[in-house]
Amino acid sequence: MKRNSSLPLKFTEVCLRDGSHVMAHQFTEKQVFDAAKALDEAGMHYIEVSHGDGLGGSTLQYGRSLTNEMKLIETAVGACKQAKIAVLLLPGIGTVSELKQAHKLGASLVRVATHVTEADVSAQHIHMARELGMEVMGFLMMAHSAPVEKLVEQAKLMESYGAQGVYVTDSAGALLPNEVKERISALRNSLDIEVGFHAHNNLSVAVANTLVAIEEGATHIDGSVRCLGAGAGNTQTEVLLAVLDRMGIETGIDLYKMMDLAEDVIGPMLPGSQEIRKGSLAMGYAGVYSSFLLHAERAGKRFGLDPRDILIELGKRKAVGGQEDLIIEVAAELAQKTKLEV
């Protein structure tokens, strides 16, 4: 594979943030310390730590955290000697105040995330992060749900606000390799900043999609050890690193140590296998935000519905991250419809 960039690859491990969805936001300080320490020793570049829905996400709507995320950030910072700690911030959930607090505790990278058509709400947070001296990346979520031209337009807005890079974020795990190629290439040809890629594995193409992104010039790459992330998880970090090593692409991350921590540190935390099951497959098929899975399963149990029907309907309504309350509304409507049909 010939990479369309001379810049080094920079990896962000997201199992302690995206994986929070799988853990129902119940990470303990010890789990975060052990994982961050092992990742640091393996040479991971960035480790993202926050509620699954970003700073300030610990609410009834998104799920209460067992441990205050600021304590988890502080714990991860203390566990690392070389890795940088990252946080995610969704304007409207996280605030500038929480960003300042995370920075004070030692977080040095923030990814400011918006829906792919709503980059304009990120300006204040990107500006503040730059003033604080943090690295700042834009994170355009649900990138499959907008035309490429709109993606480019929104990425340019984030660039104009001061973002040092913009991610194509496949929040639903719905993109196919040719669609990733088109989007990464378009951003590479339109921006003067770096491009990143964040995948979900709901259609079992996360590693393939990430390889395409790298080939097209993406330099900021996300992964989750043991696929510990929402839905069927993200690009499995240790698998991707093994493939890149086979291809002769240097990452500076110790593959054996990543394999060991995947087995010995992350494995015991998993509440269940991260294989692709019918719920996560339905999300990728319908193009639904990956963190909706647990909410849809709970709503299905409550209303006596197949969660897949809820997810498919959410896809038809083009639901986006932050609309978790819509899941109950959709489930109630489907239940009522089913009752009338009977």
Side-chain angles (χ1 to χ4, degrees), residues 217-296:
T219 51
H220 282 261
I221 300 299
D222 284 8
S224 60
V225 176
R226 286 291 289 269
C227 279
L228 180 53
N234 309 92
T235 305
Q236 190 165 346
T237 312
E238 66 276 23
V239 174
L240 176 63
L241 291 172
V243 174
L244 291 174
D245 187 66
R246 285 281 304 273
M247 298 173 76
I249 297 176
E250 179 60 44
T251 66
I253 301 171
D254 190 303
L255 177 59
Y256 272 25
K257 288 183 178 179
M258 290 297 297
M259 289 179 176
D260 289 343
L261 73 90
E263 195 81 14
D264 302 331
V265 180
I266 302 300
M269 298 182 193
L270 294 173
S273 172
Q274 281 296 95
E275 63 189 293
I276 301 171
R277 300 183 180 183
K278 58 185 180 182
S280 50
L281 177 56
M283 286 190 300
Y285 173 75
V288 176
Y289 200 61
S290 288
S291 67
F292 282 7
L293 180 57
L294 290 181
H295 298 278

Side-chain angles (χ1 to χ4, degrees), residues 56-322:
S58 180
T59 62
L60 286 175
Q61 180 177 0
Y62 303 114
R64 291 283 190 187
S65 298
L66 174 66
T67 310
N68 183 284
E69 64 185 352
M70 295 302 170
K71 175 55 69 174
L72 297 182
I73 291 167
E74 183 178 26
T75 297
V77 170
C80 294
K81 294 181 179 178
Q82 61 82 30
K84 297 178 180 180
I85 300 303
V87 294
L88 185 76
L89 189 152
L90 281 70
I93 299 177
T95 66
V96 165
S97 175
E98 286 153 338
L99 177 61
K100 290 179 178 178
Q101 189 177 354
H103 171 255
K104 187 175 181 180
L105 291 172
S108 58
L109 167 66
V110 60
R111 283 109 73 82
V112 181
T114 76
H115 184 61
V116 67
T117 60
E118 300 173 358
D120 59 315
V121 303
S122 68
Q124 177 189 15
H125 304 82
I126 292 174
H127 286 318
M128 177 53 64
R130 291 299 302 269
E131 285 183 21
L132 292 170
M134 299 179 76
E135 293 182 66
V136 191
M137 301 291 289
F139 213 65
L140 289 172
M141 301 186 295
M142 299 291 280
H144 75 283
S145 64
V148 174
E149 296 75 18
K150 174 61 73 171
L151 176 71
V152 170
E153 170 195 288
Q154 298 296 296
K156 284 184 172 180
L157 283 179
M158 287 182 158
E159 180 180 30
S160 73
Y161 303 149
Q164 294 155 296
V166 176
Y167 272 79
V168 173
T169 306
D170 186 15
S171 315
L175 288 174
L176 300 178
N178 63 299
E179 296 169 320
V180 173
K181 180 177 182 178
E182 185 179 22
R183 284 161 173 76
I184 297 295
S185 177
L187 291 195
R188 278 276 293 153
N189 292 328
S190 304
L191 305 178
D192 292 322
I193 54 177
E194 293 188 70
V195 176
F197 184 64
H198 174 99
H200 278 268
N201 200 41
N202 297 335
L203 294 178
S204 195
V205 289
V207 170
N209 281 347
T210 303
L211 291 174
V212 169
I214 291 171
E215 185 173 19
E216 290 302 310
T219 51
H220 282 261
I221 300 299
D222 284 8
S224 60
V225 176
R226 286 291 289 269
C227 279
L228 180 53
N234 309 92
T235 305
Q236 190 165 346
T237 312
E238 66 276 23
V239 174
L240 176 63
L241 291 172
V243 174
L244 291 174
D245 187 66
R246 285 281 304 273
M247 298 173 76
I249 297 176
E250 179 60 44
T251 66
I253 301 171
D254 190 303
L255 177 59
Y256 272 25
K257 288 183 178 179
M258 290 297 297
M259 289 179 176
D260 289 343
L261 73 90
E263 195 81 14
D264 302 331
V265 180
I266 302 300
M269 298 182 193
L270 294 173
S273 172
Q274 281 296 95
E275 63 189 293
I276 301 171
R277 300 183 180 183
K278 58 185 180 182
S280 50
L281 177 56
M283 286 190 300
Y285 173 75
V288 176
Y289 200 61
S290 288
S291 67
F292 282 7
L293 180 57
L294 290 181
H295 298 278
E297 288 176 343
R298 290 168 185 158
K301 186 176 293 185
R302 175 178 169 182
F303 290 95
L305 298 168
D306 188 325
R308 288 173 293 183
D309 291 333
I310 300 172
L311 292 167
I312 296 297
E313 182 61 28
L314 289 166
K316 291 177 180 177
R317 299 190 187 191
K318 300 188 183 301
V320 301

